[in-house]
Amino acid sequence: MAIKTTLAELYKFGPGPSSSHTMGPMIAGFNFYKLMGGLTKKELAKADALEIVLKGSLSATGRGHGTDRAVLAGILGHSPDSCPPELLDELAADRRAPHRLSVKGFHADLCTDSVVYGPTAGDFPHPNTMTISLKAGEDVLLSREYYSTGGGFIEWQGYKAPEKPEPPYPYTTFRELKSYVTEERSLFDVLLANETALSGKSENEVLAFAGKVIRIMQNSVREGLKRDGLLPGSLKLNSKARQLFEKYRSGSVHGKADAAITAVTAMAIAAAEENARGHIICTAPTAGSAGVMAGTVHVLMSRHIRDFARICEGLTVAAAIGYICKQNATISGAEGGCQAEIGVASAMAAALLAYYKGGNADQIDNAAESALEHHLGLTCDPVGGYVQIPCIERCGFGIIKAWTASCIACEEIPASHKVSFDDCVEAMWLTAKAMPSKYKETSQGGLAQVLC
Ligand code: SF4
């Protein structure tokens, strides 16, 4: 089936620290809130309880990822792009404080501790499963089993994807996408035509949305560079982006190569730390990996000759890399380990960089391939269930690999590159399926096992 994902579905704005464990559950909660609104007053009058049960990886790492407060905020009528961060802070600070849900005369007082942490292992349809049920005694008035499939995307039992028009240039692989490129029609032209057809937006509206993505990404880096001190949670991890950036700015970092690497890494880490604080970030493709693309965009925007339009176009090209990974493999750490998050983010950033530097479609293919290839097999083992260790520094490594990949791809002879991006996506999916579940966002393996 042709890829029909749009920019606004991939680049989502909202609170961190996790797209699958924070944003997805909030979107699921908000979906259930709207479903309740579809019931009649008479039906709602019978209800006396609302039950939320987290399962699988959502249960295993939900506390550190803020899943409970996110789903609750959704049920209270908030979506990630409009949820006031203060509400999330309140829900975290006092887990027993009641928050009133009101729908058509039905009222319920809910608190963070009312979210049930269910089984972490079992034969679930997706590793990130949760159920929300509205009950009247033992009777279930309304219930939906949700799956948070990564990047803030959700599905549910019996889910049917919304009908969308056929794109003018249908593709499922990068090879197919490249086949539409001619002397007169660039890769960006192809993707823009698809985006306008699928989203119903004009070309100007598409570019305006890309501009908003740039602003949110830059803001997450700027805010991260301003703050220092401890990050939230029991790990008591110190933030470091500001310190790194100040060392770079003061000229005290030894040598040009060290200085460049320190600056670029600091920018990726700054956005990743903002994500860990639960502040607003842009998923690319996920929240845990958001620092990679945000850092890359910020560096490009900081250059003396910034080319805003070209970065907007590059974001569209990078998105296609995310779409292909989502469709043919996964962008969920709970399904594929960190190769599916930081690996895909690094591939997207490499494609953006190669496009920005004037690379052709083959060079973009090679850059994305190289970045993803060198993340293959990377496990997801967040210590204590927090999106901090190894996630934050991993964003720093993701951006450096993206830069290296774009340099190799833009300077080598494209035809000498032996592995295609599509081959690498297939390899990632095979690796994901073979990876033991303890390395897929359960906090039961790797560093999480050793340090806790
Ligand atoms: S280790 Fe990677 S996949 Fe796992 S939570 Fe951290 S960033 Fe996400």
Side-chain angles (χ1 to χ4, degrees):
M1 199 182 79
I3 287 173
K4 295 188 177 181
T5 317
T6 61
L7 287 181
E9 289 169 323
L10 189 84
Y11 296 123
K12 294 190 189 77
F13 315 128
S18 168
S19 50
S20 57
H21 288 55
T22 314
M23 280 196 210
M26 191 185 293
I27 294 167
F30 186 56
N31 177 274
F32 198 80
Y33 168 78
K34 288 193 285 184
L35 277 184
M36 285 192 290
L39 297 179
T40 62
K41 276 188 172 182
K42 204 172 155 193
E43 287 168 317
L44 279 165
K46 293 184 211 157
D48 57 15
L50 187 81
E51 188 181 85
I52 305 161
V53 183
L54 308 178
K55 298 172 190 169
S57 173
L58 291 182
S59 177
T61 60
R63 277 203 175 80
H65 286 63
T67 307
D68 40 23
R69 60 182 195 260
V71 65
L72 218 53
I75 284 188
L76 292 169
H78 299 281
S79 59
D81 56 352
S82 65
C83 181
E86 304 78 43
L87 172 65
L88 294 170
D89 291 345
E90 279 171 38
L91 288 166
D94 188 348
R95 300 181 59 86
R96 295 202 178 151
H99 292 260
R100 178 143 280 217
L101 163 70
S102 300
V103 185
K104 288 184 178 170
F106 165 70
H107 302 293
D109 286 325
L110 305 169
C111 69
T112 313
D113 268 351
S114 58
V115 175
V116 177
Y117 281 81
T120 56
D123 191 17
F124 309 120
H126 188 278
N128 293 329
T129 294
M130 60 186 278
T131 52
I132 308 179
S133 311
L134 188 67
K135 292 180 153 181
E138 288 305 303
D139 294 337
V140 176
L141 300 175
L142 179 68
S143 183
R144 185 165 267 185
E145 182 172 85
Y146 290 97
Y147 315 117
S148 180
T149 59
F153 290 86
I154 63 159
E155 295 179 8
W156 50 82
Q157 203 170 32
Y159 175 83
K160 284 198 181 68
E163 291 283 323
K164 285 186 185 172
E166 284 306 312
Y169 302 107
Y171 69 94
T172 54
T173 63
F174 203 79
R175 197 173 296 117
E176 286 168 353
L177 181 58
K178 280 195 302 186
S179 70
Y180 298 115
V181 176
T182 63
E183 286 282 314
E184 297 75 35
R185 193 169 50 221
S186 72
L187 187 59
F188 172 67
D189 294 335
V190 171
L191 290 166
L192 184 62
N194 279 3
E195 177 70 21
T196 52
L198 291 166
S199 67
K201 291 177 179 163
S202 67
E203 292 186 2
N204 281 343
E205 285 169 333
V206 170
L207 291 173
F209 178 78
K212 187 173 177 190
V213 171
I214 291 174
R215 280 194 299 281
I216 301 278
M217 286 183 171
Q218 278 209 285
N219 203 45
S220 64
V221 175
R222 280 198 202 104
E223 289 298 314
L225 290 177
K226 275 188 219 159
R227 294 173 209 273
D228 47 23
L230 292 182
L231 295 170
S234 60
L235 295 182
K236 307 282 179 222
L237 184 68
N238 251 310
S239 49
K240 63 182 81 170
R242 181 175 169 172
Q243 191 188 333
L244 289 173
F245 196 65
E246 281 179 358
K247 286 259 170 78
Y248 157 76
R249 253 209 316 223
S250 70
S252 66
V253 178
H254 178 73
K256 278 190 179 171
D258 283 25
I261 289 172
T262 305
V264 167
T265 307
M267 291 186 192
I269 287 180
E273 287 178 348
E274 275 298 277
N275 178 61
R277 291 184 186 102
H279 292 172
I280 301 297
I281 51 87
C282 175
T283 60
T286 64
S289 61
V292 180
M293 280 288 288
T296 306
V297 163
H298 197 73
V299 174
L300 295 180
M301 286 293 289
S302 318
R303 288 184 166 192
H304 289 306
I305 310 165
R306 61 182 80 157
D307 190 339
F308 185 74
R310 195 151 185 86
I311 299 171
C312 287
E313 293 170 14
L315 280 172
T316 309
V317 172
I321 295 297
Y323 303 159
I324 291 167
C325 291
K326 182 180 182 303
Q327 173 120 340
N328 300 331
T330 177
I331 56 169
S332 159
E335 231 180 352
C338 201
Q339 56 174 355
E341 294 203 14
I342 300 280
V344 175
S346 188
M348 289 171 64
L352 165 62
L353 287 165
Y355 182 84
Y356 184 83
K357 295 181 207 179
N360 61 28
D362 287 330
Q363 288 168 316
I364 292 165
D365 185 332
N366 294 345
E369 186 285 316
S370 218
L372 182 59
E373 179 184 320
H374 299 292
H375 286 89
L376 286 179
L378 191 64
T379 61
C380 168
D381 52 354
V383 175
Y386 293 98
V387 189
Q388 297 182 9
I389 302 172
C391 321
I392 292 172
E393 285 188 4
R394 205 164 265 181
C395 283
F397 283 85
I399 197 171
I400 295 300
K401 285 189 192 177
W403 227 283
T404 309
S406 73
C407 290
I408 295 173
C410 290
E411 304 309 331
E412 71 176 348
I413 299 163
S416 66
H417 201 91
K418 291 288 182 201
V419 188
S420 73
F421 178 66
D422 296 323
D423 292 336
C424 198
V425 173
E426 191 182 342
M428 176 174 74
W429 187 222
L430 290 174
T431 310
K433 286 190 284 186
M435 192 181 279
S437 67
K438 69 180 196 172
Y439 297 117
K440 297 183 195 174
E441 214 161 352
T442 58
S443 287
Q444 287 165 5
L447 278 177
Q449 188 177 4
V450 172
L451 296 183
C452 278

